Amino acid sequence: MITYTIAVIVGSLRKDSFNRKLANALIKLAPRELVFHHVDIASLPLYNQDHDFNPLPAVKQLKSDVENAQGLIFVTPEYNRSMPGVLKNALDHGSRPFGKNSWAGKPTGIVGASPGAAGTALAQQHLRNVLAHLDAYVLGQPEVFMQVKEGYFDEQGNMSDKTRELLQKWLNKYVAWVKLHAADAALLGTGGRKP
Protein backbone atom coordinates (compact mmCIF):
# COMPACT_ATOMS: atom_id res chain seq x y z
CA MET A 1 0.00 0.00 0.00
CA ILE A 2 1.30 3.45 -0.93
CA THR A 3 1.34 5.85 2.02
CA TYR A 4 1.35 9.64 1.98
CA THR A 5 2.89 11.73 4.75
CA ILE A 6 0.70 14.69 5.62
CA ALA A 7 2.14 17.63 7.56
CA VAL A 8 -0.49 19.05 9.93
CA ILE A 9 -0.08 22.71 10.89
CA VAL A 10 -2.37 23.90 13.70
CA GLY A 11 -2.63 27.68 13.91
CA SER A 12 -3.33 27.77 17.65
CA LEU A 13 -0.83 27.41 20.48
CA ARG A 14 -3.49 27.11 23.20
CA LYS A 15 -3.21 23.94 25.29
CA ASP A 16 -6.92 23.13 24.95
CA SER A 17 -7.17 24.35 21.35
CA PHE A 18 -10.38 23.60 19.46
CA ASN A 19 -8.31 23.36 16.30
CA ARG A 20 -5.92 20.79 17.73
CA LYS A 21 -8.98 18.75 18.68
CA LEU A 22 -10.31 19.21 15.15
CA ALA A 23 -6.98 18.08 13.68
CA ASN A 24 -7.01 14.98 15.87
CA ALA A 25 -10.61 14.24 14.88
CA LEU A 26 -9.62 14.39 11.20
CA ILE A 27 -6.72 12.03 11.83
CA LYS A 28 -9.10 9.50 13.42
CA LEU A 29 -11.24 9.54 10.26
CA ALA A 30 -8.37 9.16 7.80
CA PRO A 31 -7.57 6.01 5.83
CA ARG A 32 -4.43 4.06 6.76
CA GLU A 33 -2.64 5.31 3.66
CA LEU A 34 -2.29 8.76 5.24
CA VAL A 35 0.46 9.14 7.84
CA PHE A 36 0.22 12.37 9.82
CA HIS A 37 3.01 14.47 11.26
CA HIS A 38 2.21 17.45 13.50
CA VAL A 39 4.52 20.33 12.61
CA ASP A 40 5.79 22.45 15.52
CA ILE A 41 5.32 26.15 14.90
CA ALA A 42 5.38 27.24 18.56
CA SER A 43 9.18 27.26 18.80
CA LEU A 44 9.76 29.36 15.68
CA PRO A 45 11.33 32.78 16.26
CA LEU A 46 9.70 35.82 14.72
CA TYR A 47 10.67 35.96 11.07
CA ASN A 48 13.71 38.16 10.39
CA GLN A 49 15.18 38.32 6.89
CA ASP A 50 18.66 38.73 8.38
CA HIS A 51 18.51 35.02 9.31
CA ASP A 52 17.49 33.67 5.89
CA PHE A 53 20.88 32.08 5.21
CA ASN A 54 21.62 31.05 8.78
CA PRO A 55 18.29 29.73 10.10
CA LEU A 56 17.78 28.46 13.62
CA PRO A 57 17.17 24.71 14.14
CA ALA A 58 13.39 25.22 14.58
CA VAL A 59 13.21 26.86 11.14
CA LYS A 60 15.27 24.09 9.53
CA GLN A 61 12.94 21.52 11.11
CA LEU A 62 9.84 23.31 9.81
CA LYS A 63 11.20 23.41 6.28
CA SER A 64 12.28 19.76 6.45
CA ASP A 65 8.88 18.63 7.77
CA VAL A 66 7.07 20.45 4.98
CA GLU A 67 9.43 19.35 2.22
CA ASN A 68 9.25 15.68 3.30
CA ALA A 69 5.45 15.66 3.25
CA GLN A 70 3.30 14.72 0.28
CA GLY A 71 0.50 16.98 1.49
CA LEU A 72 -0.39 19.70 3.99
CA ILE A 73 -3.40 20.30 6.23
CA PHE A 74 -3.82 23.67 7.92
CA VAL A 75 -6.24 23.74 10.87
CA THR A 76 -6.72 27.33 11.90
CA PRO A 77 -8.72 29.50 14.27
CA GLU A 78 -9.71 33.04 13.35
CA TYR A 79 -8.20 35.93 15.28
CA ASN A 80 -9.50 39.45 14.58
CA ARG A 81 -10.93 38.46 11.19
CA SER A 82 -7.70 36.88 9.96
CA MET A 83 -5.28 34.02 10.50
CA PRO A 84 -3.22 33.93 13.71
CA GLY A 85 0.15 35.67 13.66
CA VAL A 86 1.94 32.45 14.60
CA LEU A 87 0.63 30.83 11.41
CA LYS A 88 1.68 33.74 9.19
CA ASN A 89 5.10 33.61 10.85
CA ALA A 90 5.43 29.91 9.91
CA LEU A 91 4.41 30.65 6.32
CA ASP A 92 7.04 33.38 6.07
CA HIS A 93 9.78 31.13 7.46
CA GLY A 94 8.86 28.26 5.13
CA SER A 95 8.92 30.50 2.07
CA ARG A 96 12.45 31.81 2.58
CA PRO A 97 15.14 32.37 1.50
CA PHE A 98 14.02 33.50 -1.94
CA GLY A 99 13.99 30.53 -4.30
CA LYS A 100 13.73 27.99 -1.43
CA ASN A 101 9.95 28.03 -0.89
CA SER A 102 9.07 24.83 0.98
CA TRP A 103 5.28 25.21 0.42
CA ALA A 104 5.35 25.15 -3.40
CA GLY A 105 3.65 22.28 -5.17
CA LYS A 106 2.09 20.75 -2.06
CA PRO A 107 -1.57 19.62 -2.20
CA THR A 108 -3.11 21.54 0.68
CA GLY A 109 -6.33 21.45 2.67
CA ILE A 110 -7.68 24.05 5.08
CA VAL A 111 -10.25 23.60 7.85
CA GLY A 112 -10.93 25.55 11.00
CA ALA A 113 -13.03 26.00 14.10
CA SER A 114 -13.90 29.05 16.16
CA PRO A 115 -16.59 30.14 18.65
CA GLY A 116 -17.47 33.04 16.32
CA ALA A 117 -20.59 32.95 14.16
CA ALA A 118 -18.58 33.07 10.92
CA GLY A 119 -16.41 30.17 12.02
CA THR A 120 -13.05 30.72 10.34
CA ALA A 121 -14.21 31.94 6.92
CA LEU A 122 -12.09 35.09 6.86
CA ALA A 123 -9.01 33.46 8.35
CA GLN A 124 -9.22 30.73 5.73
CA GLN A 125 -9.63 33.25 2.91
CA HIS A 126 -6.54 35.17 4.03
CA LEU A 127 -4.64 31.90 4.35
CA ARG A 128 -5.75 30.91 0.83
CA ASN A 129 -4.45 34.24 -0.51
CA VAL A 130 -1.01 33.66 0.99
CA LEU A 131 -0.86 30.00 -0.04
CA ALA A 132 -1.83 30.92 -3.62
CA HIS A 133 1.15 33.27 -3.75
CA LEU A 134 3.36 30.52 -2.28
CA ASP A 135 2.19 28.15 -5.05
CA ALA A 136 0.60 25.55 -2.77
CA TYR A 137 -2.22 23.61 -4.47
CA VAL A 138 -5.16 24.44 -2.20
CA LEU A 139 -8.32 22.32 -2.31
CA GLY A 140 -11.21 24.66 -3.13
CA GLN A 141 -14.29 22.67 -2.12
CA PRO A 142 -15.82 21.58 0.15
CA GLU A 143 -15.11 24.21 2.77
CA VAL A 144 -15.23 23.56 6.53
CA PHE A 145 -15.96 26.56 8.78
CA MET A 146 -16.98 25.21 12.18
CA GLN A 147 -18.61 27.26 14.91
CA VAL A 148 -17.67 25.59 18.19
CA LYS A 149 -20.11 25.82 21.08
CA GLU A 150 -20.11 24.38 24.59
CA GLY A 151 -20.04 20.59 24.44
CA TYR A 152 -18.99 20.47 20.78
CA PHE A 153 -16.21 18.03 21.66
CA ASP A 154 -16.65 15.40 24.35
CA GLU A 155 -13.84 14.49 26.77
CA GLN A 156 -12.32 12.09 24.22
CA GLY A 157 -12.40 14.76 21.48
CA ASN A 158 -15.34 13.14 19.64
CA MET A 159 -18.03 15.13 17.83
CA SER A 160 -21.60 14.55 16.71
CA ASP A 161 -22.37 12.14 13.86
CA LYS A 162 -23.43 15.04 11.62
CA THR A 163 -20.12 16.85 12.14
CA ARG A 164 -18.18 13.64 11.60
CA GLU A 165 -20.01 13.11 8.29
CA LEU A 166 -19.06 16.64 7.18
CA LEU A 167 -15.41 16.05 8.08
CA GLN A 168 -15.41 12.65 6.35
CA LYS A 169 -16.76 14.23 3.16
CA TRP A 170 -14.02 16.86 3.28
CA LEU A 171 -11.33 14.29 4.06
CA ASN A 172 -12.38 11.99 1.21
CA LYS A 173 -12.03 14.89 -1.22
CA TYR A 174 -8.68 15.85 0.30
CA VAL A 175 -7.32 12.29 -0.03
CA ALA A 176 -8.28 12.31 -3.71
CA TRP A 177 -6.56 15.71 -4.07
CA VAL A 178 -3.33 14.38 -2.57
CA LYS A 179 -3.39 11.29 -4.80
CA LEU A 180 -4.03 13.39 -7.90
CA HIS A 181 -1.02 15.59 -7.22
CA ALA A 182 1.16 12.66 -6.18
CA ALA A 183 0.37 11.00 -9.52
CA ASP A 184 1.22 14.20 -11.40
CA ALA A 185 4.48 14.54 -9.47
CA ALA A 186 5.39 10.91 -10.24
CA LEU A 187 4.76 11.47 -13.94
CA LEU A 188 6.90 14.59 -13.89
CA GLY A 189 9.57 12.99 -11.70
CA THR A 190 9.45 15.86 -9.23
CA GLY A 191 8.72 13.90 -6.04
CA GLY A 192 5.87 16.20 -5.02
CA ARG A 193 7.73 19.43 -5.75
CA LYS A 194 6.85 21.89 -8.45
CA PRO A 195 9.09 21.36 -11.53
Side-chain angles (χ1 to χ4, degrees):
M1 176 178 66
I2 297 174
T3 59
Y4 305 91
T5 299
I6 307 300
V8 179
I9 300 102
V10 177
S12 172
L13 303 183
R14 191 168 68 92
K15 182 179 177 183
D16 198 31
S17 164
F18 295 135
N19 286 279
R20 187 158 311 282
K21 290 178 181 178
L22 178 56
N24 290 332
L26 272 173
I27 290 169
K28 288 180 188 176
L29 295 173
R32 290 182 310 157
E33 60 205 305
L34 295 190
V35 177
F36 294 91
H37 176 73
H38 283 278
V39 176
D40 174 28
I41 63 172
S43 58
L44 293 170
L46 290 176
Y47 175 72
N48 180 338
Q49 192 174 3
D50 289 342
H51 302 143
D52 275 3
F53 295 100
N54 190 23
L56 293 173
V59 176
K60 290 180 183 177
Q61 187 64 54
L62 166 77
K63 291 181 71 66
S64 175
D65 289 345
V66 170
E67 290 166 10
N68 290 322
Q70 285 78 52
L72 310 170
I73 293 179
F74 288 88
V75 189
T76 185
E78 183 168 307
Y79 295 167
N80 299 315
R81 305 284 173 112
S82 189
M83 73 180 98
V86 68
L87 186 50
K88 179 60 166 65
N89 187 53
L91 291 167
D92 292 341
H93 275 297
S95 70
R96 304 300 294 203
F98 183 77
K100 303 285 185 184
N101 174 14
S102 300
W103 310 105
K106 300 290 181 180
T108 302
I110 304 172
V111 298
S114 173
T120 59
L122 292 173
Q124 289 190 39
Q125 187 56 55
H126 289 171
L127 181 54
R128 286 175 188 278
N129 291 345
V130 175
L131 289 168
H133 174 72
L134 297 177
D135 205 22
Y137 302 148
V138 181
L139 177 66
Q141 295 292 330
E143 295 174 307
V144 176
F145 312 122
M146 295 189 161
Q147 182 183 16
V148 179
K149 297 180 179 178
E150 186 68 33
Y152 195 86
F153 295 99
D154 68 18
E155 289 185 16
Q156 290 75 39
N158 298 314
M159 299 171 288
S160 70
D161 289 343
K162 184 176 179 182
T163 303
R164 229 179 357 267
E165 287 172 16
L166 172 68
L167 285 180
Q168 189 68 65
K169 179 180 175 184
W170 181 89
L171 189 60
N172 293 345
K173 187 80 180 277
Y174 175 74
V175 171
W177 188 246
V178 170
K179 289 180 178 180
L180 173 70
H181 288 285
D184 287 349
L187 284 173
L188 296 170
T190 61
R193 302 283 298 153
K194 185 180 175 186

